[in-house]
């Protein structure tokens, strides 16, 4: 009888120890956002990926294969804010990268802050902070939960990609300024001076000026279009947007360090910087969970430059796969293989170049925004004898001047209705929404919900128009984004590491579900504006 009892005791102790280990929180959470990454890139270029990058996340982590953004417009600022706040622009307030501030009568940038100073550079490039984001991020909640012992750092090439994810309480956020500077900077919202390790890193950024050739033979890149085509911008000083690109030779005609932004070498630089940050800030080295938010911006710069079907995009992602593998290996060695949790997603997708689609007999086109704005002014002048009733335009929002409305004895709802019918007749406009429709609607259609989720009552316009599918206000080359069509809203979502259950799901999830899922994993409060839900099937019991 003694042996069975001893065996039961050993099993009990083993189970208890395992339970204790499983209940421990990760030492480090890494959030990876790949700017403008279409979901399909995980599969389209899969045959060229290594076993240690994207495939490692897909095969060993939890892969949510039907994840979307649930608002419009799908831009970088709103995307990063939504990932980390667990809600949509209707609550966190980042309705676009920039918008018209009707209280100040001026256009504002989502992270612009004239009350702070640049650190690491002269001028306004560092005058940035998260003050326009109205809610907390998951990183803020972790700081609050750990009595600010848990650290948070945000890094990106773009300022908004570093600042918004890290939240209001970050130890620091770092972003890259190009031109003749070529350095990572911050603002005195976070620090009084750059740490020595950042200054040291900034001295070596010239090493990333390299010759960009395809990593593998270009003839093997059958998953993308012809290298020579009519749909890409390329670089000044080179007659065609074709490989190879000698960045050292081209940089003087392309604003020096700015030429790095649409190339894979900026991704490598960002990965190297992130690893130096982990080392020098001792992330993941104690019992309080730390956060690192990492946003790869170069994929977006490349998409805008070359379009989503370009050879350059394919090579960009094949090389990014190596960056992800390097980062995972670094984390394994320096934080511990079961000591970190990582998620990877995107801030939006992108549309194929409309001219390319038109050439394949797929409906697509271009929209002249300035022409529409003039037509609106002319219509209002004709109907109400004053074009001043329109105060301004921002994106696809039209703003009224309420003082002028009162002076001309015009009711806002009458002007909304008039513009609604006028815009519906306008070529290439698909749908129109007014402030009254959005604020008073209980519509359950997906399109209406997406518009409402992106509408903030104090920051949005009075009339919003939506373009037809694959119709964009953009030059005739390169890709862009912003719509509520699936090419813009579907995003990859991968969870990996500590506390994550291996598997995949086709269940419908939204980007706003990421933050509450992390809160559940960490056992902390959700961000204060959360409207997402916990993805329970991604977590170990």
């Amino acid at each position: 009888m003694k042996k069975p009892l001893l065996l039961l005791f050993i099993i009990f102790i083993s189970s208890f120890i395992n339970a204790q280990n499983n209940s421990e929180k990760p030492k480090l959470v890494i959030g990876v956002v790949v700017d403008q990454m279409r979901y399909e890139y995980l599969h389209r270029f899969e045959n060229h990926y290594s076993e240690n990058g994207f495939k490692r996340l897909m095969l060993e982590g939890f892969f949510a294969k039907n994840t979307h953004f649930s608002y419009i417009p799908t831009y970088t600022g709103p995307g990063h804010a939504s990932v980390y706040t667990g809600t949509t622009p209707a609550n966190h307030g980042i309705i676009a990268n920039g918008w018209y501030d009707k209280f100040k009568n001026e256009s504002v940038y989502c992270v612009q802050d004239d009350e702070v100073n640049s650190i690491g550079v002269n001028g306004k490039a560092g005058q940035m902070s998260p003050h326009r984001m109205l809610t907390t991020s998951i990183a803020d909640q972790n700081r609050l939960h750990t009595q600010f012992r848990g650290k948070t750092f945000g890094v990106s090439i773009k300022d908004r990609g570093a600042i918004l994810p890290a939240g209001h309480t970050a130890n620091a956020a770092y972003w890259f300024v190009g031109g003749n500077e070529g350095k990572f900077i911050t603002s005195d919202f976070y620090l009084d001076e750059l740490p020595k390790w950042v200054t040291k890193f900034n001295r070596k950024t010239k090493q990333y000026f390299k010759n960009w050739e395809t990593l593998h033979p270009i003839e093997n890149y059958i998953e993308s279009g012809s290298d020579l085509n009519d749909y890409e911008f390329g670089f000044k000083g080179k007659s065609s947007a074709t490989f190879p690109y000698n960045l050292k030779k081209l940089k003087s005609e392309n604003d020096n360090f700015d030429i790095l932004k649409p190339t894979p070498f900026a991704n490598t630089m960002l990965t190297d910087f992130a690893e130096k940050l982990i080392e020098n800030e001792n992330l993941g080295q104690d019992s309080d969970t730390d956060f690192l938010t990492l946003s790869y911006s170069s994929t977006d710069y490349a998409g805008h430059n070359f379009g989503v079907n370009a050879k350059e995009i394919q090579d960009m992602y094949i090389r990014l796969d190596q960056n992800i593998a390097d980062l995972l290996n670094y984390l394994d060695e320096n934080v511990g293989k079961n000591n970190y949790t990582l998620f990877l997603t995107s801030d939006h997708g992108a549309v194929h170049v409309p001219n390319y689609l038109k050439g394949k007999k797929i409906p697509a086109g271009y929209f002249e925004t300035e022409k529409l704005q003039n037509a609106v002014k002319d219509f209002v002048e004709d109907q109400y004898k004053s074009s001043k009733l329109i105060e301004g335009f921002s994106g696809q929002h039209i703003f009224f001047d309420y003082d002028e409305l009162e002076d001309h004895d015009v009711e806002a709802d009458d002007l909304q209705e008039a513009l609604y019918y006028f815009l519906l007749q306008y070529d290439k406009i698909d749908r129109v929404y007014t402030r009254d429709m959005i604020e008073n609607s209980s519509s359950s259609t997906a399109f209406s919900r997406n518009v409402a989720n992106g509408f903030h009552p104090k920051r949005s316009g009075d009339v919003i128009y939506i373009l037809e599918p694959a119709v964009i206000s953009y030059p005739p080359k390169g890709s862009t984004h912003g719509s509520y069509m699936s090419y813009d809203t579907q995003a990859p979502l991968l969870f990996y590491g500590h506390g994550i259950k291996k598997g995949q799901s086709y269940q419908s999830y939204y980007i706003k579900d990421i933050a509450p899922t992390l809160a559940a994993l960490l056992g902390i409060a959700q961000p204060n504006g959360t409207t997402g839900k916990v993805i329970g099937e991604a977590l170990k019991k």
Side-chain angles (χ1 to χ4, degrees):
M1 293 296 292
K2 290 183 178 180
K3 288 185 178 180
L5 288 173
L6 179 61
L7 182 60
L8 287 171
F9 178 76
I10 292 172
I11 292 173
F12 172 78
I13 292 297
S14 177
S15 299
F16 178 79
I17 292 173
N18 287 334
Q20 289 292 97
N21 289 336
N22 288 335
S23 67
E24 291 177 357
K25 299 176 183 179
K27 294 179 180 292
L28 176 62
V29 174
I30 309 98
V32 178
V33 175
V34 183
D35 204 323
Q36 204 186 115
M37 183 176 184
R38 288 163 59 107
Y39 166 82
E40 64 155 344
Y41 292 157
L42 287 176
H43 297 300
R44 186 167 138 204
F45 308 137
E46 188 172 1
N47 291 337
H48 300 273
Y49 293 151
S50 70
E51 299 301 317
N52 301 313
F54 289 125
K55 283 185 179 179
R56 179 176 170 183
L57 300 180
M58 289 190 285
L59 297 175
E60 298 181 24
F62 182 82
F63 189 2
K65 293 188 170 187
N66 187 21
T67 304
H68 287 259
F69 287 90
S70 57
Y71 60 83
I72 182 176
T74 41
Y75 294 137
T76 298
H80 283 78
S82 298
V83 167
Y84 287 91
T85 63
T87 190
T88 63
N91 294 313
H92 61 61
I94 305 299
I95 61 171
N97 292 335
W99 59 87
Y100 181 75
D101 187 327
K102 53 196 171 189
F103 299 101
K104 296 182 177 180
N105 297 321
E106 64 182 17
S107 295
V108 297
Y109 177 53
C110 62
V111 291
Q112 169 194 346
D113 190 346
D114 296 336
E115 300 301 315
V116 302
N117 299 302
S118 301
I119 298 295
V121 69
N122 295 322
K124 296 184 177 182
Q127 288 188 273
M128 307 290 169
S129 85
H131 74 109
R132 285 194 167 91
M133 190 167 73
L134 302 176
T135 62
T136 60
S137 74
I138 184 63
D140 286 324
Q141 295 302 147
N142 185 67
R143 291 275 281 163
L144 290 166
H145 183 84
T146 62
Q147 300 302 312
F148 295 87
R149 294 187 300 271
K151 292 168 281 191
T152 295
F153 291 89
V155 295
S156 180
I157 298 298
K158 295 181 181 179
D159 45 25
R160 57 189 181 272
I163 292 168
L164 298 173
H168 303 274
T169 61
N171 298 80
Y174 299 105
W175 54 97
F176 186 76
V177 59
N180 295 324
E181 299 290 346
K183 61 176 70 172
F184 285 91
I185 65 169
T186 189
S187 78
D188 64 5
F189 179 86
Y190 307 101
L191 301 169
D192 294 327
E193 61 181 3
L194 288 179
K196 292 181 179 179
W197 71 264
V198 176
T199 302
K200 183 178 180 181
F201 187 94
N202 284 338
R203 296 193 193 107
K204 300 178 180 179
T205 54
K206 289 182 180 180
Q207 67 179 300
Y208 298 100
F209 288 122
K210 297 182 179 181
N211 194 46
W212 185 12
E213 301 182 66
T214 56
L215 186 63
H216 305 306
I218 196 168
E219 59 267 21
N220 294 343
Y221 285 20
I222 61 173
E223 296 82 7
S224 49
S226 171
D227 191 29
L228 179 62
N229 60 71
D230 296 327
Y231 312 118
E232 303 172 8
F233 286 108
F235 296 110
K236 294 178 182 178
K238 194 173 189 304
S239 59
S240 64
T242 55
F243 283 104
Y245 299 96
N246 186 329
L247 301 187
K248 287 183 180 179
K249 182 179 178 181
L250 295 169
K251 66 183 177 70
S252 61
E253 294 187 60
N254 293 272
D255 206 10
N256 292 320
F257 279 95
D258 275 352
I259 198 174
L260 290 178
K261 293 179 179 180
T263 76
F265 307 116
N267 288 336
T268 301
M269 177 176 65
L270 192 72
T271 305
D272 293 343
F273 185 84
E275 291 175 0
K276 286 295 182 183
L277 188 153
I278 293 170
E279 174 189 349
N280 285 276
E281 300 296 346
N282 298 311
L283 299 191
Q285 301 303 313
D286 57 34
S287 58
D288 291 305
T289 301
D290 298 323
F291 260 81
L292 173 63
T293 71
L294 175 60
S295 176
Y296 287 101
S297 307
S298 295
T299 44
D300 182 72
Y301 287 115
H304 284 293
N305 191 329
F306 300 104
V308 304
N309 199 44
K311 287 281 190 287
E312 289 82 358
I313 287 294
Q314 179 161 358
D315 195 68
M316 171 78 73
Y317 277 91
I318 293 171
R319 289 176 179 271
L320 180 59
D321 177 68
Q322 290 190 329
N323 298 140
I324 298 298
D326 290 342
L327 178 63
L328 292 172
N329 290 334
Y330 180 88
L331 292 168
D332 289 346
E333 294 175 7
N334 294 276
V335 180
K337 193 166 185 178
N338 196 42
N339 289 333
Y340 66 89
T341 303
L342 180 146
F343 73 84
L344 183 146
T345 189
S346 178
D347 58 345
H348 53 74
V351 66
H352 270 282
V353 178
N355 276 338
Y356 170 77
L357 294 177
K358 289 166 66 177
K360 301 300 180 183
K361 301 180 181 179
I362 296 173
Y366 295 90
F367 187 80
E368 297 182 51
T369 299
E370 185 175 354
K371 184 177 179 181
L372 176 276
Q373 292 175 357
N374 290 332
V376 167
K377 292 177 182 177
D378 290 343
F379 170 77
V380 173
E381 174 72 38
D382 180 63
Q383 295 293 312
Y384 298 96
K385 311 307 176 188
S386 173
S387 61
K388 293 182 179 180
L389 300 181
I390 304 300
E391 185 173 286
F393 301 86
S394 180
Q396 292 164 208
H397 291 230
I398 302 173
F399 292 81
F400 296 171
D401 186 323
Y402 282 82
D403 290 334
E404 288 289 331
L405 290 178
E406 185 175 355
D407 289 346
H408 288 79
D409 196 27
V410 175
E411 296 292 333
D413 55 355
D414 289 339
L415 182 55
Q416 287 179 40
E417 185 176 11
L419 282 174
Y420 173 85
Y421 288 107
F422 171 76
L423 292 169
L424 272 183
Q425 310 307 313
Y426 201 87
D427 188 37
K428 294 186 176 65
I429 288 181
D430 188 45
R431 299 162 194 263
V432 180
Y433 296 88
T434 68
R435 175 175 290 272
D436 286 349
M437 290 170 62
I438 296 169
E439 292 183 340
N440 300 322
S441 174
S442 58
S443 173
S444 60
T445 67
F447 286 163
S448 298
R449 287 198 304 271
N450 283 359
V451 173
N453 286 338
F455 182 91
H456 190 276
K458 298 181 74 171
R459 296 181 174 182
S460 297
D462 298 288
V463 178
I464 303 170
Y465 62 91
I466 310 296
L467 302 180
E468 293 175 353
V471 172
I472 59 176
S473 180
Y474 202 70
K477 297 181 179 182
S479 299
T480 193
H481 48 85
S483 77
Y484 55 28
M485 307 308 295
S486 61
Y487 51 73
D488 280 339
T489 66
Q490 188 175 18
L493 179 55
L494 297 156
F495 291 95
Y496 174 85
H498 183 97
I500 301 302
K501 184 166 58 177
K502 178 180 176 180
Q504 61 183 26
S505 175
Y506 291 97
Q507 184 173 328
S508 178
Y509 290 115
Y510 295 102
I511 289 299
K512 63 183 180 178
D513 299 334
I514 295 172
T517 301
L518 294 174
L521 173 69
L522 299 176
I524 65 177
Q526 296 179 357
N528 61 15
T530 295
T531 54
K533 62 185 179 183
V534 175
I535 305 176
E537 61 178 330
L539 304 178
K540 290 180 179 178
K541 300 296 183 183

